[in-house]
Amino acid sequence: MRYLFENCALDTDRRELRRGAELVAIPPQVFDLLDYLIRNREHVVSKDDLINAIWKGRIVSETALTTRLNAARSAIGDSGEQQRLIKTLPRKGFRFVGLVREAQGGGGAATADNPGQPPKPALALPDKPSIAVLPFTNLSSDPEQDYFADGMVDDITTALSHFKALFVIARNSSFTYKGRSVDVKQVGRELGVRYVLEGSVRKSANRVRITGQLVDTATGAHLWADRFDGGLSDVFDLQDQVTESVVGAIAPAVEKAEIERAKRQPTESLDAYALYIRGLARLYQFNRQANEEASHLFNRAIELDPDFASAYGRAAYCYVYAKANGYFAITPDEIAKMTRFAQRAVELGKDDAIALATSGYALMYVACDLWEGATLIDRALGLNSNSAEAWSNGGWAKNWLGEPEAAIERFERAMRLSPVDLTAGRMRSGTAYAHFLLGHYDEAASWAAIALQDNPDLQPALRQAAASHAMAGRADQAHKAMARLRQLNPTLRISNLRDVLGPYQHTEDFARYADGLRRAGLPE
């Protein structure tokens, strides 16, 4: 087993610890102590537990235990003062609190900051009922109806996520299983959920049939199954019935009033909603042409349904990707257009977490209205604490407000809610930037490298890699990242850097980042 955390990899089969590409020599007892703490990271480990596990119950002094703990911390870049990874709880014991990813065997020199292929996380179950809604199978002969099936899953996921008694995996992670034959037990391990909802949609003429089944991922047992038939005019009522049945199966204590509050129709127009779903599919392709197509689709959805709050929020969000990647110049006219979309999303979506989170982030990043944007994102989190997107956007808000510790906590929450998210690069690059603000340049470079695994051209991550390596004194790696960044965005300069970066509460944060990029080779 290999445990990956920050820029470290602990290989229990080879009994090796690596930090970055470096093999760290540690005594056998220190290795065993690290292994024991990481394997038991879900709870506090007492001194007696450690003595029994490492010294097999032999009598050892307090000094010996403290010495081994200090050596373990030093080996992984932690310290007794920071306690960033190994935390001491007075009169209780110790706990490994770092974010850990697990990979099976082998791996050679692969480490947490460059593991080759990203490992599938083996996640512990949350302390409340947890569920992932997998993509529904389209049983219609028309492949265009994939969008309809995807929309059904999106709405069911959204409705379930409003229940604070449930832990709901975000849509982007669930949809990585689309078109694949899956083992629900494996899905449960990879997403860290106890239950999986599977289903199918058959749409013919003006009728629709939705089937669903709830599966226990630990045993593979079917806990619930049902079928719903109706006309297209009743499709959202059918969705609500599916949602009610699933919630009733896994959380019978949830009151009917909560179920009623969770019933939401994002739009009365199926045509507009289909356009919205297609826009999302384009948005997540992360390139200039796809971003332009997504913007067009969201605008068409708005034309068909002028009260579609989330479509306005997504239309505003297209400007975020354009600014972050230099797709076109963000002129005052473009900012005004984006602001109109965002404000309309807020007006129409006062209780719509996605509308608030997307429009808030766009106002913050594109219009540099930091406080208004941060307030809207906090409102979104109050409405839906299961929104990985809102937590991720909120992490960036905390970065720009100069609160990197809080940012890291928000990104961790986002990544836990959606472990295999299509937008995971944003979460990881945000974590990298938070570490940069804290002066943890090695950790920042490590997270930037992880962000670049899925998308080697992610410009925010390239900027963070360049600046972090430069500040850590690794000129060659800094220049390499900068060379790729300048290929993608040749007009980027120190003088126009503020046009690409977000708002800053503290000018010294911007100044240090600019200095890192300057050292990496970004011209004035």
Side-chain angles (χ1 to χ4, degrees):
M1 176 65 71
R2 297 170 67 232
Y3 297 106
L4 310 179
F5 51 95
E6 294 199 346
N7 66 335
C8 298
L10 187 78
D11 190 326
T12 59
D13 296 327
R14 299 186 180 192
R15 290 187 65 81
E16 291 180 350
L17 171 67
R18 290 181 179 271
R19 288 183 65 191
E22 179 185 357
L23 183 63
V24 181
I26 57 174
Q29 284 184 339
V30 175
F31 185 94
D32 292 340
L33 188 148
L34 268 176
D35 180 22
Y36 186 80
L37 286 174
I38 292 173
R39 282 189 290 107
N40 294 277
R41 62 189 179 275
E42 298 302 325
H43 59 84
V44 177
V45 173
S46 70
K47 291 180 181 179
D48 288 342
D49 291 333
L50 284 177
I51 291 170
N52 288 331
I54 311 305
W55 285 274
K56 310 305 179 186
R58 296 198 310 271
I59 297 174
V60 296
S61 68
E62 186 90 9
T63 301
L65 178 58
T66 301
T67 299
R68 301 303 189 278
L69 279 167
N70 288 340
R73 284 181 171 128
S74 177
I76 59 177
D78 198 7
S79 69
E81 292 74 31
Q82 290 181 325
Q83 297 191 16
R84 193 179 68 258
L85 296 173
I86 300 176
K87 189 174 183 63
T88 299
L89 290 89
R91 296 181 298 280
K92 292 183 179 179
F94 313 93
R95 184 169 172 236
F96 192 93
V97 295
L99 178 66
V100 177
R101 303 180 301 286
E102 296 181 2
Q104 292 294 331
T111 62
D113 78 330
N114 186 21
Q117 293 299 321
K120 290 292 186 182
L123 298 171
L125 292 175
D127 57 0
K128 55 185 177 180
S130 50
I131 184 171
V133 186
L134 296 183
F136 279 21
T137 303
N138 172 25
L139 299 179
S140 303
S141 58
D142 182 3
E144 284 293 303
Q145 297 310 320
D146 276 345
Y147 291 105
F148 180 81
D150 291 354
M152 296 295 300
V153 173
D154 200 26
D155 283 354
I156 292 169
T157 302
T158 300
L160 284 170
S161 71
H162 283 274
F163 292 88
K164 297 184 184 297
L166 293 179
F167 186 99
V168 184
I169 291 294
R171 172 194 189 276
N172 284 358
S173 282
S174 296
F175 267 64
T176 61
Y177 297 93
K178 184 174 180 180
R180 295 164 49 186
S181 177
V182 297
D183 175 357
V184 293
K185 294 183 180 180
Q186 180 181 351
V187 172
R189 290 191 298 268
E190 291 178 354
L191 297 183
V193 293
R194 186 176 300 278
Y195 305 103
V196 161
L197 178 68
E198 298 177 310
S200 64
V201 174
R202 185 187 299 274
K203 180 170 175 274
S204 178
N206 292 320
R207 301 290 296 176
V208 63
R209 169 172 290 178
I210 306 166
T211 63
Q213 54 189 15
L214 186 68
V215 184
D216 186 325
T217 62
T219 64
H222 289 67
L223 304 178
W224 163 89
D226 210 340
R227 184 182 73 192
F228 305 87
D229 294 291
L232 283 178
S233 60
D234 303 321
V235 67
F236 292 111
D237 289 336
L238 292 175
Q239 267 179 224
D240 289 338
Q241 290 178 41
V242 174
T243 301
E244 284 191 22
S245 297
V246 172
V247 172
I250 64 176
V254 177
E255 296 180 1
K256 186 69 166 63
E258 291 180 292
I259 296 174
E260 292 298 324
R261 284 197 296 271
K263 293 180 179 178
R264 300 177 58 252
Q265 294 182 197
T267 175
E268 293 291 337
S269 169
L270 284 174
D271 291 334
Y273 194 62
L275 290 168
Y276 174 78
I277 294 296
R278 294 181 189 208
L280 280 182
R282 298 295 187 274
L283 188 67
Y284 294 142
Q285 291 177 10
F286 309 118
N287 63 65
R288 180 170 185 164
Q289 180 180 349
N291 196 65
E292 291 174 355
E293 292 175 1
S295 178
H296 177 66
L297 287 163
F298 294 138
N299 275 275
R300 285 179 59 195
I302 291 167
E303 289 172 4
L304 288 176
D305 186 348
D307 294 331
F308 195 167
S310 292
Y312 284 100
R314 294 295 184 190
Y317 209 77
C318 289
Y319 288 84
V320 168
Y321 285 117
K323 177 175 177 175
N325 295 288
Y327 291 158
F328 57 78
I330 304 296
T331 64
D333 285 345
E334 297 291 347
I335 293 174
K337 290 179 185 176
M338 182 284 303
T339 301
R340 286 195 292 272
F341 281 128
Q343 290 176 340
R344 187 61 176 150
V346 174
E347 291 170 5
L348 294 169
K350 291 181 173 60
D351 61 346
D352 186 327
I354 291 299
L356 295 175
T358 52
S359 57
Y361 188 84
L363 286 170
M364 191 167 47
Y365 180 62
V366 181
C368 294
D369 193 343
L370 177 55
W371 290 102
E372 176 65 14
T375 299
L376 290 172
I377 291 169
D378 285 345
R379 278 175 53 191
L381 287 170
L383 286 167
N384 185 357
S385 62
N386 285 314
S387 172
E389 185 169 7
W391 284 110
S392 178
N393 291 352
W396 279 105
K398 290 298 184 183
N399 272 339
W400 290 322
L401 287 167
E403 302 174 34
E405 294 93 346
I408 290 171
E409 291 177 0
R410 290 190 170 196
F411 288 124
E412 285 179 350
R413 180 69 181 272
M415 288 185 281
R416 178 61 186 91
L417 283 169
S418 193
V420 287
D421 202 299
L422 292 172
T423 63
R426 288 186 63 249
M427 305 173 191
R428 292 164 177 164
S429 63
T431 303
Y433 187 56
H435 282 294
F436 181 92
L437 291 175
L438 289 167
H440 303 158
Y441 301 125
D442 288 340
E443 289 87 350
S446 171
W447 278 102
I450 296 171
L452 290 167
Q453 287 173 354
D454 293 332
N455 183 359
D457 294 339
L458 184 64
Q459 291 189 38
L462 284 169
R463 290 194 294 268
Q464 285 135 24
S468 300
H469 282 306
M471 298 298 276
R474 294 185 289 270
D476 289 345
Q477 290 167 278
H479 292 156
K480 182 179 179 181
M482 180 56 67
R484 181 57 185 155
L485 179 62
R486 295 195 65 200
Q487 283 181 335
L488 296 169
N489 193 349
T491 63
L492 186 64
R493 300 286 189 276
I494 294 294
S495 58
N496 63 17
L497 192 58
R498 282 189 181 274
D499 296 337
V500 176
L501 304 185
Y504 284 86
Q505 175 69 9
H506 305 298
T507 56
E508 59 268 26
D509 290 342
F510 172 80
R512 182 150 55 97
Y513 196 30
D515 183 45
L517 292 170
R518 184 183 291 109
R519 295 187 194 188
L522 185 64
E524 295 292 335

